[in-house]
Amino acid sequence: MSVIVFGSAIADIVFRLPNLPRPGETVLSEAGPALPGGKGLNQAIAAARDGAGVRFVGCVGRDGPGEMLRAALVAAGVDVAALRDVTEPSGLACVCVDEAGHNQIAVSPGANRAARAEQVQEIPRGATLLMQMEVAPAENAALIARGHASGARLLLNLAPAGTMDPAALRALDLLILNESEAGWLGNQLGLAASASTLHAGLGIGIAMTQGERGVVVATTAGVVSVPAFEVTAVDTTGAGDAWCGVLAAALDRGMPLEASIRRANAAGALACTSAGAAPSMPTAAEIDRLIARG
Ligand code: RIB
C-alpha cells in the first residue's frame, strides 16, 4: 500500500543554548544552517526511512529554503509530485534546544498556509493518510471526509493543538496527541485528558504519547500501555514526528497496532539520540536493532 502525508515542510533554524530563554531573557548562541523540518516533512521522511512508499503533499516557497526542503524529501525517496511551489515564503521555525535536549519552537507557517486538500488527487482504498496541524484545519477536515469515503486509514497528529471540526475527528481511525495536546482537547470537549476518556467521547482510537513514560492507546479492543525505550537524549526535536511516521509505515504494511506502537516507540527514542528534526529520523535497520536489544 502507500502512505500519504499531507502537511507542513519548514526550514528549522536551530539554536543550541545552555538554557531555554525565560520571558524577557536573551540567550546568545550560534545558529547552524537551516535544516529540513516541519511536522509533515519529518513524518514523511520517518515513514520512508522505515521502508514505506510515501507521497508528501504540501507547499514550499520559491526560495532557497523551499529548494532545501524539496531536496530533503527527494533524498529520502519521498514522492514529491504533489508538492507545490507557491509565492508565499517557505515556512520557518526557530528551534531552541537546551543542554538536556528539551526544546522550544516558534513556527511561521508561510507557504504551508497555501496547502490544499485538493492537491491529494487520489486516495486509494486501504492507503494510510497521515496529517498534522501546521496546515489549515479546514483542509485537514476536507481531506478526512474524502479519505473516509475512499476507505483509507486516517491518522491525525493533533500537533500543535488546534481546533478541528468534531465531525472530522470522529471520522479518524487514530488521533495521536501528547499530554499537553490531550489537556487542550479535553478542555475543548469538556472531557478528562485521558486516552480512555477521549476514546469514549469521540468513538475513535486515541494514542497518547507520554515521553519517557511510553504511550497509552485506547481503542475498542481496550486500553494498552506500551513502554518507552531508554536512550540518552541529545535533542528531542522531531521525536513525536518519528513516532507518527513510523507508526503510519508499520500500520500500512499490516503490522498489528500494538507491535506498530512498539516500533514507533523505538523510532521516537532513536530520534532523541541525534540533533535536528528530519536529520534524526532513524532507518528501519536502526529501529530493528533497538527493538532486538529490548
Ligand atoms: O516536531 C518538530 C517540528 O516542529 C520542527 O521540525 C519544526 O519545524 C516544527 O514544525
Side-chain angles (χ1 to χ4, degrees):
M1 253 312 149
S2 64
V3 175
I4 301 168
V5 179
F6 176 65
S8 57
I10 292 173
D12 288 352
I13 314 287
V14 181
F15 296 83
R16 294 216 63 112
L17 304 164
N19 59 278
L20 298 176
R22 289 177 288 271
E25 185 183 16
T26 301
V27 185
L28 295 181
S29 153
E30 298 301 325
L35 296 172
K39 296 182 193 302
L41 176 148
N42 296 338
Q43 294 180 14
I45 289 180
R49 287 202 182 146
D50 192 32
V54 183
R55 192 180 348 152
F56 177 77
V57 184
C59 291
V60 292
R62 294 190 185 103
D63 48 23
E67 282 171 25
M68 180 272 289
L69 295 167
R70 179 181 287 275
L73 287 160
V74 170
V78 174
D79 175 348
V80 292
L83 175 63
R84 277 180 56 215
D85 292 324
V86 296
T87 49
E88 294 86 340
S90 291
L92 275 183
C94 169
V95 181
C96 296
V97 183
D98 73 10
E99 282 171 352
H102 298 129
N103 64 43
Q104 265 175 3
I105 305 178
V107 171
S108 166
N112 295 291
R113 288 206 176 93
R116 295 289 173 265
E118 68 199 25
Q119 287 173 248
V120 182
Q121 288 185 342
E122 185 202 339
I123 309 174
R125 170 166 292 278
T128 301
L129 191 47
L130 175 60
M131 296 152 282
Q132 328 72 35
M133 296 292 287
E134 289 176 330
V135 296
E139 298 301 320
N140 276 338
L143 195 54
I144 289 168
R146 280 179 52 208
H148 189 62
S150 301
R153 178 184 291 106
L154 301 173
L155 312 179
L156 174 68
N157 177 207
L158 197 77
T163 304
M164 281 289 296
D165 177 357
L169 291 180
R170 287 195 190 95
L172 294 169
D173 293 287
L174 191 68
L175 179 64
I176 302 158
L177 24 61
N178 66 21
E179 290 169 284
S180 93
E181 291 149 3
W184 184 91
L185 182 63
N187 208 27
Q188 291 275 307
L189 300 175
L191 297 170
S194 74
S196 55
T197 309
L198 292 172
H199 165 63
L202 289 168
I204 57 169
I206 302 287
M208 192 190 301
T209 59
Q210 306 177 131
E212 292 159 8
R213 287 177 293 113
V215 173
V216 181
V217 193
T219 64
T220 47
V223 180
V224 180
S225 270
V226 186
F229 288 82
E230 265 184 49
V231 290
T232 304
V234 171
D235 179 358
T236 57
T237 312
D241 298 330
W243 196 94
C244 293
V246 168
L247 183 86
L251 291 173
D252 192 66
R253 57 179 177 262
M255 193 178 277
L257 180 62
E258 200 170 329
S260 298
I261 287 175
R262 186 163 160 72
R263 188 164 186 82
N265 282 2
L270 286 165
C272 296
T273 62
S274 60
S280 71
M281 298 298 133
T283 62
E286 289 167 331
I287 299 170
D288 290 339
R289 274 199 294 278
L290 183 58
I291 291 174
R293 196 193 79 186

